[in-house]
Amino acid sequence: MESKELEILQILEKNSRLDIETIAKMTQLKEEEVKKIINKLEEDKVILGYSTLIDWHKVSDNHGVTAMIDVKVTPLRGVGFDKVAERIYKFPEVKAVYLMSGTYDLSVSIEEKTMAEVAEFVSEKLSALDSVVSTTTHFILKKYKHDGVVIDGEQEDKRIVVSP
């Protein structure tokens, strides 16, 4: 991959809302060149999409639950963990699936409205898969940083400073 492609990727990763003109100035390329590079990166599936990071706790009427589920599986002969992961990520509740090292094989992130819905997903969908041996569910209580962005980092530390 060329250095200008990498530079554009790094710029878009930090702020995907930048316009072509700004990216062209930052990379010292012509706007047409930037458009061509971005289109190529999208076609080659290097750029998979553009997302917005939202602090859902600031949105009224949103009291959703995020769970991280560690999953131990029996890999399928000839395809390993890939087909098991594919079956899991096809569930609409699933936001992310990662192959992990350590005690568990896969880490699954899901979002639901209630803890009961998470429990239902784990017991009726995830655990019901033939390859799934065991699961451990962790609930996210508070996000401090996500995708490199500090969530609500403007809060002041209101504790009294105590020094010896």
Side-chain angles (χ1 to χ4, degrees):
M1 185 168 284
E2 295 180 24
S3 66
K4 287 298 180 181
E5 289 175 334
L6 287 172
E7 189 177 353
I8 289 171
L9 286 172
Q10 290 168 343
I11 290 168
L12 288 173
E13 186 176 42
K14 287 182 184 166
N15 185 355
S16 62
R17 293 190 64 185
L18 289 176
D19 57 57
I20 299 293
E21 180 183 354
T22 303
I23 297 170
K25 288 176 184 174
M26 293 171 76
T27 58
Q28 299 176 343
L29 292 171
K30 294 180 181 175
E31 288 182 37
E32 294 304 316
E33 290 177 273
V34 171
K35 283 182 193 175
K36 185 178 175 181
I37 289 171
I38 291 173
N39 287 337
K40 178 186 180 295
L41 292 168
E42 289 173 345
E43 288 171 13
D44 292 347
K45 303 239 185 272
V46 174
I47 296 176
L48 299 173
Y50 301 90
S51 63
T52 302
L53 182 59
I54 299 168
D55 186 351
W56 286 107
H57 284 93
K58 292 184 179 178
V59 179
S60 62
D61 297 335
N62 183 55
H63 304 286
V65 176
T66 302
M68 299 295 295
I69 307 164
D70 297 328
V71 185
K72 184 171 265 205
V73 301
T74 303
L76 298 174
R77 186 178 299 272
V79 292
F81 296 103
D82 294 346
K83 285 293 180 192
V84 179
E86 182 180 344
R87 287 188 68 194
I88 293 170
Y89 71 62
K90 285 186 177 181
F91 290 117
E93 302 90 340
V94 174
K95 299 299 175 197
V97 178
Y98 306 100
L99 180 62
M100 306 296 288
S101 64
T103 306
Y104 290 89
D105 304 307
L106 299 173
S107 180
V108 178
S109 174
I110 71 166
E111 293 177 5
E112 287 289 4
K113 290 184 178 141
T114 65
M115 292 173 85
E117 288 177 344
V118 172
E120 183 178 317
F121 170 80
V122 173
S123 64
E124 294 181 15
K125 293 181 178 180
L126 188 59
S127 295
L129 296 175
D130 291 337
S131 299
V132 173
V133 176
S134 66
T135 64
T136 301
T137 303
H138 310 274
F139 291 97
I140 307 261
L141 302 177
K142 182 176 181 179
K143 290 182 184 178
Y144 294 100
K145 186 174 183 179
H146 184 80
D147 285 343
V149 176
V150 175
I151 309 291
D152 203 20
E154 297 176 318
Q155 290 182 350
E156 253 184 66
D157 188 353
K158 295 183 180 170
R159 297 177 291 177
I160 299 172
V161 177
V162 178
S163 59

